[in-house]
Structure formats: C-alpha cells, structure tokens
C-alpha cells in the first residue's frame, strides 16, 4: 500500500495500527501466504515502523539518487535503510508527470535503492489505453520490459543486485474508477513475470499490479500476478482484510491442486 499524501500524520498512525491488528490475526500473513508493505509519507515513517511492528515492511515513496551531500529537501536511501525501511517506491507515474522524473533519474534512484539494501518497488506502465479502452497487452508488455531493463541498467553495471518488486501500473488506470480489465492485467503481468524470472542478478523479484486495484481483483488475476499495489481503495482497513482473504483463498486452492 502507498498512502501517497492523502492522510494526516495522525490518520496514518491510526490506519497503521488497524493494519497491524489485521496482520497479527490474519492467517494469510501469519501463515506466510501474503506479505505486506506500507509506504507512508516521509515524516510518518518512524511512527509507521513503531505502529506496524516487524510483521509489516515499511518503505518510502521516493529517495534521492545520492547517498549524502548538499541536496536540500532530499532523503537518501542510506538514511531510509538506517531508519528500518525495507522497500522504496521508484518511478511512479506521478513522479514522472508532476516532477519531471526521466528514465535517467529512475535508473539512478533504482541503483541507489539496491546499493543501500532496499527493495525498489519499480513502477512501470504504458501511457495510453488506446482506442479500445484497455490497450494492447503485447505493446504494453514490450514497453514495460524496456522500462524494467532500463531502470536496472546502472545497478547491474555497478554490480548491485537484489530483489525488485515490479509494479505494473498502466498510467491510464491510475486514479480511474476501476482497474484495467482482468484479461489485460493477466496478459501483461504473465509476460513481465516471465521476464523478471530470467533476471538472475535480481533473484526473488516479483510482479504486482497497481492502478485502481481494489477488493475482488486478486481473485480474477491471482494466477498471473504476485500481488497488488494498493492505494485509495485500501484506505478502509477492512478492504485490505478482504484482499488478504482473497490471497488466502488463492493459496489454499493452489495447494489443493
């Protein structure tokens, strides 16, 4: 879950406490069928770490490309790791559109995450849905593979490997009333999982879907994604619990097969 900038600090702490309670009792989390990460705003990271405890990973929504120096307003991956963060979001479409982040910047920030032992939640996705409203999954997958390989280029050249969580977020679905269609998600994410599984220097990497993800979606796409990247549809902790129920059902169904 990324909380973006929707909550106040007090709301963030209250939400984190509710999520912690769910994680402590939910069999999907306790049994290892699901893992959770929460990405609050920078000021709320220490309180989120305290409220969520060891059972839920905490991360940041951004990081600097440099580890130290005269960079007013920036927060380094080194400091995030020192605080106890385990993941960090890189390359979100809003960072690109609102703050001018380019492929070059995403590449540098991905390397910064990996060299500091953080798992980048690497956001990729195509710009346009096309005339049919859902887009071409083959073209989308091709563009996303390009973005993945480009983002990992500097880290690979510097010898910085590690786990990467690829978050497929078609930019036309971000903020929309509904996510991309299940068939589109499955077609794109299955190709991305195939590609990511071949990145031997980034072993253990995963592919999740974001972009108006909400309860009910995981049941439709779970065979072809490793999870969901949630936003506003998880502001109510009960929605998150419903998605964990889906994760548990998928896992138990797979075990029966």
């Amino acid at each position: 879950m990324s909380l973006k900038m929707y909550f106040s600090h007090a709301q963030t702490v209250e939400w984190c406490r509710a999520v912690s309670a769910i994680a402590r009792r939910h069999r999907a989390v306790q049994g290892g069928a699901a893992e959770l990460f929460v990405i609050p705003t920078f000021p709320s990271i220490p309180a989120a770490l305290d409220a969520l405890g060891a059972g839920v990973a905490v991360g940041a929504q951004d990081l600097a490309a440099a580890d130290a120096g005269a960079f007013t307003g920036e927060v380094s991956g080194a400091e995030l790791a020192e605080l106890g963060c385990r993941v960090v979001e890189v390359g979100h479409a809003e960072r690109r559109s609102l703050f001018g982040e380019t492929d070059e910047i995403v590449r540098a920030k991905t390397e910064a995450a990996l060299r500091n032992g953080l798992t980048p939640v690497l956001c990729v996705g195509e710009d346009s849905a096309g005339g049919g409203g859902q887009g071409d999954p083959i073209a989308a997958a091709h563009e996303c593979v390009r973005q993945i390989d480009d983002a990992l280029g500097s880290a690979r050249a510097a010898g910085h490997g590690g786990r990467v969580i690829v978050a497929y977020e078609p930019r036309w679905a971000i903020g929309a009333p509904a996510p991309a269609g299940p068939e589109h998600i499955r077609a794109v994410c299955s190709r991305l999982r195939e590609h990511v599984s071949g990145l031997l220097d980034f072993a253990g990497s995963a592919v999740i879907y974001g972009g108006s993800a909400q309860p009910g979606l995981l049941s439709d796409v779970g065979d072809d994604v490793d999870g969901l990247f949630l936003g506003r549809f998880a502001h109510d902790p009960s929605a998150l619990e419903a998605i964990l129920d889906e994760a548990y059902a998928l896992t138990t169904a797979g075990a029966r097969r």
Side-chain angles (χ1 to χ4, degrees):
M1 287 80 63
S2 172
L3 299 182
K4 299 195 178 184
M5 204 178 72
Y6 284 112
F7 288 175
S8 69
H9 176 71
Q11 287 173 313
T12 297
V13 173
E14 181 183 9
W15 184 90
C16 286
R17 287 173 178 159
V19 168
S20 178
I22 291 169
R24 288 196 305 270
R25 69 173 182 260
H26 203 286
R27 51 192 176 179
V29 179
Q30 294 304 310
E35 58 180 315
L36 300 177
F37 66 80
V38 172
I39 303 179
T41 58
F42 283 130
S44 294
I45 287 173
L49 284 160
D50 183 61
L52 289 164
V56 181
V58 174
Q61 298 176 22
D62 188 28
L63 81 166
D67 290 344
F71 301 102
T72 301
E74 292 289 272
V75 178
S76 72
E79 186 175 2
L80 293 173
E82 181 183 6
L83 283 172
C85 289
R86 288 152 58 187
V87 300
V88 61
E89 192 171 2
V90 178
H92 191 276
E94 289 163 359
R95 297 295 311 176
R96 288 178 176 269
S97 63
L98 298 176
F99 303 105
E101 293 198 359
T102 62
D103 285 349
E104 181 180 10
I105 292 172
V106 171
R107 201 179 311 133
K109 290 187 174 185
T110 303
E111 181 188 351
L114 289 165
R115 73 168 173 260
N116 284 292
L118 298 168
T119 296
V121 180
L122 178 60
C123 300
V124 300
E126 73 278 20
D127 286 324
S128 173
Q134 288 293 323
D136 178 356
I138 296 175
H142 180 80
E143 170 59 16
C144 290
V145 166
R146 183 200 69 77
Q147 292 175 23
I148 293 167
D149 289 344
D150 186 84
L152 296 176
S154 293
R156 176 176 279 137
H160 300 305
R163 187 186 189 212
V164 176
I165 299 174
V166 173
Y168 171 54
E169 294 195 301
R171 293 170 191 169
W172 45 270
I174 296 172
E183 292 306 315
H184 180 88
I185 294 170
R186 291 171 70 99
V188 175
C189 288
S190 62
R191 173 67 185 98
L192 299 187
R193 288 174 89 187
E194 178 185 0
H195 182 72
V196 165
S197 69
L199 301 176
L200 301 183
D201 39 354
F202 302 100
S205 294
V207 176
I208 61 179
Y209 171 80
S212 303
Q214 55 192 272
L217 180 61
L218 189 61
S219 298
D220 291 334
V221 302
D223 289 342
D224 291 299
V225 304
D226 297 307
L228 298 180
F229 193 18
L230 303 167
R232 69 192 190 280
F233 287 102
H235 286 178
D236 181 349
S238 65
L240 171 62
E241 188 161 20
I243 293 169
L244 287 173
D245 290 342
E246 293 178 66
Y248 183 79
L250 285 166
T251 304
T252 54
R256 288 196 298 270
R257 289 198 295 267

